[in-house]
Amino acid sequence: MPARIAPAPDPSLVFAALPVATIVLDAENRFRSVNNAAEQFFGASATGLLDMPLAELLPPDNRFFALLEQVRRFEARVSDHDLTLESPRMHRRGVTVHAAPLPEMPGSVIAMLEDGSTAQMLDRQLNFRGAARGASAMAAMLAHEVKNPLSGIRGAAQLLEQAALEADRELCQLILDEVDRITGLVDRFDMFSEHPVERSAVNIHQVLDHVRRIAASGFAAHLRIIEEYDPSLPLVWGNRDQLVQILLNLVKNAAEAVDPVGGELVLATSYRHGVRIAVPGSSQRVHLPLEVSVRDNGPGIDEGLRATLFEPFVTTKRGGQGLGLALVAKLVADQGGLIECDSRPGRTIFRLSLAVPPPGAETGAAA
């Protein structure tokens, strides 16, 4: 007896399940249909998007409108890459769009939007890790080649100071001060060296509350700090002390960037299904669904600096050494997570993507 052929799935179910953001726009560029991925892409529910003009999300001079016009004019499929969909309501870079006409609905267009920012973020993250490894090698070299001679110089200066005339002791003290300064700089590099990291299940909201209290009682006392937390967020798999250090660094940078009058910091958490990331050199795939973000309303980061923001010695601060964000990138990598920065005037956000505890892990248990 021949096997029964399963009935074809409902096209609407297939449309809803597509992993790529897919939308249908009518002849007036109003949303007629959106799938689940499109809701996440635009940051709005299907109910809110349906019948909404695309012009409410994007300015009329955006390249996306020109692409839609091409599809209608030539009645053919059109693709475009590296689009920026930017407005006060959304901000997406590196978007690839594939669009085609719908003959059954004259003037309508179906479009698939692929966010290339995740791939770009992964590429940048590999660069950050490479930069951190380079800093680690430099730290080891400095510790071995510089600190030992500095100890000898310091000891010799102390002996000279004991026998020196009063007028010469000032010079000996100058040598001691400079040796101590260089030793302190070398010690800062030592933070980049590789050390075993113990991870456990951590309540990220307790970490954020600790960071907020430190900031509110010190360097951010003059600023408004807003908390936008997802109370259902599960525990994070990481090192509590390092997470505190990461977030304190990001919050301090944000506090220094904003206007003292009207400055605002937003600490937020959310659950993002996201993607599973392949670990280089391994068949293992890591899921990083937990997002922690630090947002400020400062002037933004210059576009020319964003590509190298997490590399050592890159800084915009007067007198800064450019090690803070490089250390953050290294510590985030130690947590098995990712960090990305999205910045424009009036809005800069650093996002941490972190993992949940592996199956069988107990709260407080070390990896």
Side-chain angles (χ1 to χ4, degrees):
M1 184 176 179
R4 295 182 60 184
I5 300 177
D10 185 341
S12 63
L13 297 178
V14 175
F15 178 80
L18 288 173
V20 178
T22 306
I23 60 175
V24 175
L25 300 170
D26 63 16
E28 297 178 349
N29 286 331
R30 291 180 176 272
F31 288 92
R32 306 305 302 168
S33 186
V34 298
N35 68 350
N36 297 335
E39 292 181 88
Q40 295 185 14
F41 184 91
F42 290 102
S45 66
T47 304
L49 288 171
L50 292 179
D51 293 327
M52 177 190 291
L54 183 62
E56 289 191 13
L57 291 177
L58 295 173
D61 60 348
N62 191 276
R63 276 168 51 192
F64 190 21
F65 288 99
L67 180 146
L68 296 172
E69 184 59 32
Q70 281 186 302
V71 172
R72 296 186 177 105
R73 182 186 307 169
F74 299 107
E75 296 185 352
R77 289 177 292 179
V78 178
S79 297
D80 201 351
H81 305 274
D82 201 25
L83 270 72
T84 297
L85 308 183
E86 187 173 31
S87 72
R89 297 186 61 174
M90 68 176 298
H91 185 71
R92 297 276 184 174
R93 291 179 177 270
V95 177
T96 295
V97 179
H98 305 284
L102 284 177
E104 299 82 1
M105 300 171 60
S108 295
V109 175
I110 182 170
M112 302 179 70
L113 302 97
E114 298 179 271
D115 187 357
S117 62
T118 299
Q120 294 172 2
M121 178 184 67
L122 294 177
D123 288 340
R124 289 195 300 268
Q125 187 69 23
L126 291 176
N127 291 334
F128 301 157
R129 290 181 178 180
R133 284 195 295 268
S136 299
M138 184 179 293
M141 182 274 292
L142 285 173
H144 183 266
E145 299 294 337
V146 178
K147 291 185 75 173
N148 288 340
L150 285 177
S151 298
I153 294 172
R154 197 180 199 288
Q158 288 176 320
L159 292 175
L160 288 173
E161 185 180 22
Q162 294 175 5
L165 299 175
E166 187 66 30
D168 295 331
R169 288 181 181 175
E170 184 177 346
L171 296 177
C172 293
Q173 188 59 49
L174 177 63
I175 295 173
L176 292 172
D177 291 344
E178 285 301 291
V179 167
D180 290 342
R181 184 182 65 83
I182 296 171
T183 301
L185 181 60
V186 173
D187 288 339
R188 291 197 66 188
F189 273 105
D190 190 52
M191 294 186 294
F192 289 92
S193 59
E194 300 295 332
H195 300 291
V197 176
E198 290 189 347
R199 289 189 282 170
S200 62
V202 178
N203 186 325
I204 194 63
H205 292 140
Q206 291 179 355
V207 171
L208 285 165
D209 183 62
H210 179 71
V211 170
R212 180 194 60 78
R213 284 187 283 111
I214 292 175
S217 62
F219 55 82
H222 58 294
L223 303 176
R224 183 186 179 203
I225 301 178
I226 301 171
E227 297 167 296
E228 297 178 355
Y229 298 156
D230 179 355
S232 65
L233 204 70
L235 298 176
V236 166
W237 188 242
N239 181 282
R240 183 190 180 280
D241 291 343
Q242 289 192 355
L243 288 169
V244 169
Q245 188 174 2
I246 291 167
L247 290 166
L248 263 180
N249 196 307
L250 295 178
V251 170
K252 189 172 188 297
N253 283 352
E256 292 173 349
V258 300
D259 192 320
V261 179
E264 184 177 279
L265 306 182
V266 180
L267 306 179
T269 61
S270 62
Y271 190 93
R272 189 175 64 174
H273 291 280
V275 295
R276 291 187 178 274
I277 299 163
V279 178
S282 169
S283 60
Q284 180 185 5
R285 299 180 71 83
V286 181
H287 191 204
L288 304 174
L290 309 183
E291 182 175 286
V292 183
S293 62
V294 177
R295 187 171 79 240
D296 68 67
N297 61 347
I301 299 170
D302 186 82
E303 188 171 358
L305 286 177
R306 293 175 201 165
T308 57
L309 189 62
F310 295 96
E311 294 183 6
F313 310 114
V314 176
T315 183
T316 58
K317 296 180 183 178
R318 184 184 299 273
Q321 295 171 335
L323 296 177
L325 287 178
L327 178 62
V328 165
K330 193 263 183 187
L331 294 180
V332 171
D334 289 345
Q335 311 301 305
L338 298 173
I339 183 169
E340 59 178 322
C341 175
D342 181 10
S343 182
R344 62 180 186 269
R347 184 180 183 276
T348 295
I349 180 168
F350 285 86
R351 296 187 183 91
L352 305 179
S353 298
L354 302 169
V356 296
E362 297 181 2
T363 302

